Amino acid sequence: MDLIPAPATHAEDPSRAPFVLGTGTTLAAAPGTEGVARWLRATVGPALGRDLPPGPAGADGSVTLRVDPSLPPEGYRLTVAAAVEILGGSAAGVFWGAQTFRQLLGPAAYRRACADPGVSRAVPRQVVEDAPRFGWRGVLLDVARHFAPKDDVLRFLDLLAAHKLNVLHLHLTDDQGWRVEIRRHPRLTEAGSWRARTKRGHRASELWDETPHGGHYTQDDIREIVAYAAERHIRVVPEIDVPGHSQAAIAAYPELGNTDVIGTAALPVWDTWGVNPNVLAPTETTLRFYEGVLEEVLDLFPAATSPFVHLGGDECPTGQWTASPAARARAEELGLAGAHELQGWFIRHFGRWLAERGRRLIGWDEILDGGLPPGAAVSSWRGYAGGIAAAEAGHDVVMCPEQHVYLDHRQDPGADEPVPIGYVRTLEDVYRFEPVPPGLSPAAAARVIGTQANVWTEVMESRSRVDYQVFPRLAAFAEVAWSTRLPADPAARDFADFTRRMSTHYARLDALGVDYRPPGGPLPRQRRPGVVGRPIEGAPPNV
Ligand code: TNX
């Protein structure tokens, strides 16, 4: 049935009559599976015009959901016979099994209303047994460079769930915008969520979009996003980026910047891209300010669904600190070897602060330079090396190297590719991405808790641009992150078989209304003629 991601095992029995989802089909939800039943009724119900009312477990023609703790927590066994049974090691496993069942029902199960009421919903008899390879199957969505309205985030969560991905890393703050309401510091969103204009394309481009850009999530919006994700067994990891990538916060509260080096009162929210020299000042004021921010963040992202808090730590130029007498004095007072060590000091401070509150720090691999606090995890983005070093030192690692899984990077070398930046990474390249590099010791390999695709939005100004960059490559990424059947050796992977299954998957994406890149290249409206990217293969990819 062209399942994506490919399940561990799958056996069909075409010799006997298929299961048919009819108007009489009932749904039995054993204790612990009520949320999955709610999701099935609300999603597959309208798509196929079936109400799925409650009924007895196991009856012919029914669907039964049940937790079976003998299965792995996220694993499931889906049996399609005279009745359908979806067993999962936990509610999450049942949910992933329900997602597989939806795939078996055909592309129509991905619509919001029933377009073909007369068509039979027959599913061949079969057994699917499955469990994921990694516990962290993530996607970063950068809502700072271009704001994604709340509804787009909820839809994105549905798309992740349909691909059995279970972590949404929300990049909530950056130089170009602050996107989460913080009650005790209202100017972060009043001022810091707006920029007057926006660079269109690579920073070398001469084009500006003169429409002001911005927006933010209220605290209730965030609670809704977290709850919506939790119903889909997705954890949300908030990122508050410090001490670099902070110009929007400094624009809102100039005292957070290095005021003895630059006139921070005149700093606007940044309107272009790249690595920004305006970083946080290493003062007690800054620490208390961000502790206040994080107190509210911890309240919004409860430990049960968001044990990790991402503090960024990437791309923090130290020039302003070395130029600042105040920062140099501070470094000396702290016993550091120089102002360049302030980045590590910032991260260690907040790592400790989070640990005292029962949370775990995760940061970009630059945080390794300052010495990692115990229990901290690393997002390895500049390649595998940071992840290897962290894993060998006993830290958990999420592999997301920009050379492989940066979905802002172009997916084809063609001249029509919209705003081409970064490396050319095709669907096949992503399919052949291997998160665990060869040569890791077994103990270190076990520290690779998962992998993540990162969706940075400098050149993605709208939902459809995000769709285009993300799909179809996210389907390949999902198979890499989930499927235990994929050979570790990238060369041994059967891309032809994946391509064959993709033809069905495109029909699912069509039914979902995803504006993916068609295999033949961009549609006329998907092109961005005249918007300069960085079409030099091998050039440093950072926009
Ligand atoms: C590097 S990944 C960045 C981002 C950019 C991205 C563009 C990382 C930690 N930093 O700020 O958006 O490259 O590809």
Side-chain angles (χ1 to χ4, degrees):
M1 284 304 239
D2 295 347
L3 297 173
I4 288 182
T9 72
H10 180 217
E12 271 191 45
D13 173 10
S15 68
R16 299 169 65 197
F19 172 86
V20 177
L21 191 83
T23 43
T25 300
T26 55
L27 178 62
T33 68
E34 297 83 357
V36 184
R38 201 159 42 235
W39 175 84
L40 258 179
R41 287 198 179 102
T43 310
V44 173
L48 301 182
R50 308 283 189 256
D51 291 342
L52 303 174
D60 274 10
S62 71
V63 177
T64 299
L65 311 177
R66 199 149 48 82
V67 173
D68 175 351
S70 72
L71 295 170
E74 287 195 282
Y76 65 89
R77 183 185 309 122
L78 165 62
T79 307
V80 182
V84 169
E85 183 187 54
I86 307 175
L87 302 180
S90 68
V94 179
F95 182 69
W96 305 129
Q99 287 286 359
T100 296
F101 182 51
R102 187 190 193 188
Q103 292 204 352
L104 297 180
L105 286 164
Y110 290 82
R111 295 192 179 273
R112 291 192 196 216
C114 186
D116 52 359
V119 173
S120 158
R121 313 296 172 189
V123 182
R125 289 186 183 230
Q126 59 195 295
V127 178
V128 182
E129 283 189 304
D130 204 5
R133 178 176 176 199
F134 292 110
W136 181 303
R137 306 179 298 280
V139 180
L140 173 144
L141 184 62
D142 170 12
V143 294
R145 270 56 175 273
H146 279 102
F147 177 61
K150 182 201 74 181
D151 244 42
D152 290 359
V153 177
L154 300 179
R155 170 183 175 270
F156 199 68
L157 285 163
D158 281 326
L159 295 175
L160 300 198
H163 292 83
K164 299 189 173 75
L165 297 165
N166 71 343
V167 175
L168 175 65
H169 172 168
L170 259 192
H171 185 74
L172 286 166
T173 71
D174 214 303
D175 300 304
Q176 297 86 358
W178 184 285
R179 305 287 174 225
V180 51
E181 176 191 14
I182 301 295
R183 298 236 162 105
R184 72 189 79 185
H185 304 307
R187 280 185 55 78
L188 283 173
T189 46
E190 284 166 9
S193 77
W194 292 103
R195 59 177 182 258
R197 60 173 191 171
T198 300
K199 171 69 59 176
R200 285 212 76 195
H202 182 259
R203 66 173 174 275
S205 149
E206 311 233 301
L207 296 178
W208 294 95
D209 183 340
E210 297 289 349
T211 307
H213 179 84
H216 74 275
Y217 310 112
T218 66
Q219 297 209 340
D220 276 349
D221 289 342
I222 293 284
R223 289 197 174 92
E224 181 186 3
I225 288 168
V226 169
Y228 195 86
E231 282 250 331
R232 286 150 186 78
H233 300 277
I234 297 172
R235 288 175 278 151
V236 185
V237 176
E239 180 181 355
I240 304 292
D241 206 341
V242 295
H245 285 282
S246 298
Q247 186 165 317
I250 299 170
Y253 292 94
E255 65 270 26
L256 296 174
N258 293 288
T259 50
D260 60 345
V261 182
I262 49 151
T264 56
L267 270 188
V269 175
W270 212 22
D271 53 15
T272 186
W273 319 120
V275 178
N276 187 317
N278 299 309
V279 303
L280 297 176
T283 60
E284 288 299 307
T285 306
T286 304
L287 295 186
R288 296 297 92 72
F289 184 97
Y290 274 88
E291 287 165 6
V293 168
L294 289 172
E295 267 176 37
E296 294 191 30
V297 167
L298 296 197
D299 185 49
L300 292 173
F301 296 87
T305 48
S306 309
F308 282 101
V309 174
H310 206 293
L311 292 183
D314 56 315
E315 298 180 322
C316 181
T318 53
Q320 274 185 2
W321 293 332
T322 36
S324 155
R328 283 204 311 272
R330 178 76 165 148
E332 200 176 318
E333 173 193 317
L334 292 166
L336 304 176
H340 62 280
E341 289 196 350
L342 286 165
Q343 194 261 17
W345 166 81
F346 256 105
I347 298 296
R348 288 194 302 275
H349 174 85
F350 287 109
R352 241 186 346 260
W353 189 93
L354 285 173
E356 283 161 14
R357 285 153 187 82
R359 302 297 181 100
R360 290 182 64 188
L361 160 72
I362 181 164
W364 301 109
D365 55 62
E366 285 95 331
I367 71 171
L368 278 162
D369 304 343
L372 279 189
V378 167
S379 309
S380 190
W381 77 276
R382 291 178 296 178
Y384 288 106
I388 293 171
E392 294 289 358
H395 291 275
D396 286 345
V397 169
V398 175
M399 281 292 184
C400 50
E402 64 173 343
Q403 295 82 355
H404 300 273
V405 283
Y406 267 38
L407 301 185
D408 52 332
H409 294 180
R410 69 195 99 164
Q411 49 200 320
D412 189 272
D416 280 345
E417 214 50 39
V419 205
I421 58 165
Y423 303 106
V424 176
R425 290 299 176 258
T426 63
L427 181 63
E428 179 165 1
D429 292 330
V430 173
Y431 194 67
R432 297 194 193 281
F433 162 61
E434 170 50 35
V436 181
L440 272 189
S441 67
R447 288 294 187 179
V448 179
I449 58 174
T451 181
Q452 186 170 293
N454 292 342
V455 183
W456 301 102
T457 57
E458 289 97 331
V459 298
M460 287 128 91
E461 72 285 357
S462 64
R463 189 183 96 173
S464 60
R465 276 289 292 128
V466 171
D467 275 7
Y468 181 92
Q469 292 300 127
V470 171
F471 294 99
R473 291 183 293 182
L474 198 70
F477 176 77
E479 186 143 313
V480 169
W482 174 279
S483 187
T484 52
R485 225 174 63 192
L486 215 59
D489 173 8
R493 294 181 186 171
D494 189 349
F495 183 65
D497 177 65
F498 177 75
T499 308
R500 191 187 53 68
R501 285 180 284 127
M502 273 307 289
S503 60
T504 303
H505 201 67
Y506 281 119
R508 295 179 194 128
L509 298 178
D510 282 329
L512 283 164
V514 174
D515 208 6
Y516 57 82
R517 180 186 189 279
L523 303 172
R525 67 175 163 72
Q526 291 174 321
R527 299 176 194 146
R528 292 291 181 273
V531 184
V532 176
R534 196 171 195 178
I536 312 160
E537 173 67 348
N542 194 346
V543 170

